[in-house]
Amino acid sequence: MTTLKHFLQLKDFSADEIAYVFERTKIIKDRFKRYERYHPLSDRTLLMIFEKASTRTRLSFEAGMQQLGGAAIYLNTRDSQLGRGEPVGDAAQVMSRMCDIVMIRTFEQSMVENFAANSRVPVINGLTNEYHPCQILADIYTFFEQRGSIKGRTVAWIGDSNNVCNTWLQAAEVLDFTVHVSTPPEYRVEPERAGLYGTDCFEEFDDPMQACKGADLVTTDVWTSMGFEAENAERREAFADWCVDADMMRVAAPDALFMHCLPAHRGEEVTAEVIDGPQSVVWDEAENRLHVQKALLEYLLLGRV
Ligand code: CP
Ligand code: NVA
């Protein structure tokens, strides 16, 4: 019997497993572009639980599961008993007897951990306050498509040390690259919350320009993540100097890419000139959510095919 595999944090996968998922991503993406039918997950059902809003994650998982021949069911907090206090463990017991794989977008990481501990089927983290592993898989696949291996490269993270930042840091540990992080002083990385083994994978910079110097990839995200809306006003003030602009891109490597997980706020964390400019790969990055997650669903349900 194979052991149950979840994807709750990026470090749940080894470098070898990520390489395998990327290998499958390329095959699955190429087939999709050729309109070739590929239905390895027929009769399988993906349950998607959303306790926060989403465009890309919902669409890519739902479309992806259908494209693989399976079905996807969307549940949100309002429509399910989870929103009325049914214990997460009880919900997991029931749901995982009816569905073959579960994707959850929620607040605390402990919720997805608790669900997974009570689940008979694989569980995927579709974003928590702490991590966003599917996003970083797609981002690194996008880098790989454009520039080759990320090993030994430098990524500049500008802005909040949020779920997306934490996941970049885990990826740096697993895949052996460096992240230059620049945050306002009161929003620094918390290595324990980021789930890091050490602190070798990243370097902190007070000045975002210094963090961008020579970087192969410059990336950022919203100043206020979902669930932190009450802090919006103070964050807008604190992050005012952490807007990725053309000057930052100019000090990065000449062929540096710009990424943003989206949705973006032009004029806040990034200028329109950068996100709509020639170094930006945000649309490829968003599209790759679909292809990478199809490979992820295939891997978690069927193993190495
Ligand atoms: N990047 C991302 O996860 O987008 P959504 O919030 O639209 O799913
Ligand atoms: N950090 C953002 C990412 C949205 C995809 C958030 O958690 O809201």
Side-chain angles (χ1 to χ4, degrees):
M1 189 174 150
T2 52
T3 49
L4 193 54
K5 183 101 201 146
H6 303 295
F7 189 55
L8 306 181
Q9 315 189 22
L10 193 118
K11 69 180 185 189
D12 287 346
F13 279 12
S14 65
D16 182 57
E17 285 177 297
I18 293 172
Y20 174 76
V21 169
F22 286 177
E23 204 179 288
R24 293 299 302 163
T25 300
K26 182 169 174 16
I27 293 167
I28 289 169
K29 181 173 179 176
D30 288 349
R31 273 186 186 156
F32 178 71
K33 296 284 178 186
R34 293 195 300 266
Y35 295 97
E36 273 177 33
R37 182 182 286 213
Y38 180 53
H39 283 176
L41 302 185
S42 60
D43 300 326
R44 305 289 182 110
T45 305
L46 164 70
L47 171 63
M48 307 184 296
I49 301 170
F50 282 92
E51 300 203 278
K52 287 178 177 171
S54 168
T55 297
R56 280 144 287 268
T57 303
R58 177 178 177 180
L59 192 54
S60 52
F61 269 108
E62 190 162 338
M65 193 64 187
Q66 285 177 16
Q67 289 160 16
L68 293 171
I73 294 173
Y74 171 84
L75 271 191
N76 66 33
T77 314
R78 279 190 316 282
D79 302 336
S80 69
Q81 300 288 6
L82 273 172
R84 296 181 59 251
E86 179 167 16
V88 170
D90 291 1
Q93 291 284 352
V94 174
M95 292 170 175
S96 69
R97 285 174 184 236
M98 298 183 183
C99 296
D100 301 285
I101 187 159
V102 180
M103 190 283 315
I104 306 173
R105 167 168 288 196
T106 189
F107 294 87
E108 298 300 328
Q109 178 71 11
S110 56
M111 187 275 190
V112 294
E113 307 272 353
N114 184 3
F115 193 103
N118 288 282
S119 173
R120 291 183 165 198
V121 302
V123 178
I124 298 171
N125 178 350
L127 180 147
T128 57
N129 289 349
E130 287 85 354
Y131 310 118
H132 195 3
C134 297
Q135 181 68 52
I136 303 311
L137 269 192
D139 292 3
I140 295 174
Y141 185 77
T142 307
F143 186 90
F144 171 71
E145 275 187 328
Q146 307 262 350
R147 299 283 184 267
S149 172
I150 200 159
K151 188 172 178 175
R153 303 291 201 127
T154 300
V155 174
W157 175 270
I158 308 301
D160 190 17
S161 62
N162 61 13
N163 42 10
V164 178
C165 174
N166 288 341
T167 312
W168 269 112
L169 298 176
Q170 286 197 0
E173 281 195 336
V174 176
L175 298 175
D176 195 15
F177 61 92
T178 302
V179 186
H180 286 179
V181 182
S182 182
T183 66
E186 58 276 33
Y187 296 92
R188 282 196 198 290
V189 172
E190 295 170 49
E192 205 172 310
R193 187 169 163 84
L196 303 180
Y197 296 116
T199 50
D200 288 356
C201 64
F202 76 100
E203 205 178 323
E204 292 191 282
F205 294 82
D206 294 331
D207 179 358
M209 285 289 278
Q210 291 300 320
C212 289
K213 242 185 193 167
D216 301 293
L217 166 64
V218 178
T219 186
T220 186
D221 186 13
V222 292
W223 292 340
T224 304
S225 286
M226 292 180 281
F228 297 84
E229 289 81 1
E231 300 171 14
N232 202 17
E234 62 191 90
R235 283 171 168 272
R236 282 169 85 104
E237 217 168 284
F239 284 90
D241 293 333
W242 278 264
C243 172
V244 177
D245 59 14
D247 288 338
M248 292 188 199
M249 293 308 294
R250 212 166 288 128
V251 297
D255 67 344
L257 298 174
F258 172 77
M259 288 191 195
H260 189 308
C261 64
L262 305 175
H265 299 81
R266 288 171 176 75
E268 290 190 15
E269 72 273 8
V270 60
T271 62
E273 186 183 8
V274 168
I275 195 168
D276 299 321
Q279 287 165 286
S280 172
V281 290
V282 294
W283 312 131
D284 294 315
E285 185 188 355
E287 180 189 327
N288 280 332
R289 292 289 303 278
L290 173 71
H291 309 301
V292 165
Q293 288 164 197
K294 284 164 77 176
L296 176 67
L297 289 165
E298 183 196 65
Y299 177 60
L300 290 176
L301 282 169
L302 305 180
R304 296 191 187 224
V305 296

